[in-house]
Amino acid sequence: EVQLLESGGDLVQPGGSLTLSCAASGFSFSSFAMRWVRQAQGKGLEWVSGINDNGRNTNYADSVRRRFIISRDNSKSTLYLQMTDLRAEDTAVYYCAKRGGRGYHDLWGRGTLVTVSS
Amino acid sequence: EIVLTQSPATLSLSPGDRATLSCRASQSIATSLAWYQQKPGRTPRLLIYDASNRATGIPARFSGGGSGTDFTLTISSLEPEDFAVYYCQQFINWPITFGQGTRLEIK
């Protein structure tokens, strides 16, 4: 079955750190760019970060640049998001998504909840 | 950053009605636009890519159109399961951006 499964979401204090993982299965993970997209409760979708197929090129939203690091391990078919200096406004469900075609998202995980609160 | 503005914010219609949702880009994005459907508590689902191509498994009642700055998502005859929030997304430039969403609710 083609799927993405996120994990690692948790309650963390402001200023804390967390690493999210996304395990891919059912497709050739190493052939596709991947992204992280987040959604705060009751709000819209916000792209967070993207990485190309070989991991050499990354992009970040201004809101997370220099605090978050995206990476991947193609040998494990897993995508990561290292988050540091977390803020209340980072509270959201974090989805990993597979890039399709020219840049849309054709496969989404179920998401993992990150809550930043004291 | 390319801003996508969706209208209306909320659309109230009945099953069987035709729905037309709009997405306007702050600058030309050619046909680099996708539409997603999201139901409460669920993952977004790709409906349309490259402005007018239906994704795999999407019913023919969903259609997309437009290019440049103005785009539409049309649902020809609403089924009960179509009531959800719809987002557009551009992928021509970084950062990737989404519209704020249109909530399609039952009248």
Side-chain angles (χ1 to χ4, degrees), chain A residues 40-63:
Chain A
Q41 176 70 29
K43 303 297 184 182
L45 301 168
E46 179 188 15
W47 170 79
V48 173
S49 183
I51 188 168
N52 73 332
D53 54 359
N54 62 23
R56 291 176 187 158
N57 291 314
T58 58
N59 296 88
Y60 299 91
D62 286 346
S63 58

Side-chain angles (χ1 to χ4, degrees), chain B residues 2-7 22-26 35 69-71 88 98-102:
Chain B
I2 295 175
V3 176
L4 298 179
T5 302
Q6 292 187 239
S7 60
S22 174
C23 178
R24 176 165 289 179
S26 59
W35 289 94
T69 60
D70 291 304
F71 301 86
C88 58
F98 292 87
Q100 82 280 16
T102 289

Side-chain angles (χ1 to χ4, degrees), chain B residues 5-80:
Chain B
T5 302
Q6 292 187 239
S7 60
T10 303
L11 186 57
S12 299
L13 294 171
S14 301
D17 286 348
R18 180 183 185 89
T20 302
L21 287 66
S22 174
C23 178
R24 176 165 289 179
S26 59
Q27 64 188 75
S28 178
I29 58 171
T31 57
S32 299
L33 189 95
W35 289 94
Y36 302 88
Q37 177 194 66
Q38 188 178 32
K39 298 180 181 180
R42 302 292 295 274
T43 292
R45 176 172 73 145
L46 176 68
L47 298 175
I48 301 289
Y49 64 93
D50 295 347
S52 61
N53 296 308
R54 269 191 306 277
T56 302
I58 301 304
R61 64 180 181 274
F62 291 90
S63 63
S67 65
T69 60
D70 291 304
F71 301 86
T72 57
L73 173 69
T74 301
I75 310 171
S76 59
S77 179
L78 286 165
E79 297 287 342

Side-chain angles (χ1 to χ4, degrees), chain A residues 19-80:
Chain A
T19 297
L20 306 183
S21 300
C22 171
S25 59
F27 66 97
S28 179
F29 179 75
S30 61
S31 297
F32 296 94
M34 298 293 295
R35 281 94 177 259
W36 288 98
V37 177
R38 68 185 180 184
Q39 185 172 37
Q41 176 70 29
K43 303 297 184 182
L45 301 168
E46 179 188 15
W47 170 79
V48 173
S49 183
I51 188 168
N52 73 332
D53 54 359
N54 62 23
R56 291 176 187 158
N57 291 314
T58 58
N59 296 88
Y60 299 91
D62 286 346
S63 58
V64 306
R65 196 184 309 276
R66 288 181 289 277
R67 297 189 299 122
F68 290 10
I69 298 175
I70 190 172
S71 62
R72 64 192 296 162
D73 185 337
N74 285 345
S75 69
K76 296 181 179 179
S77 295
T78 302
L79 176 72
Y80 302 98

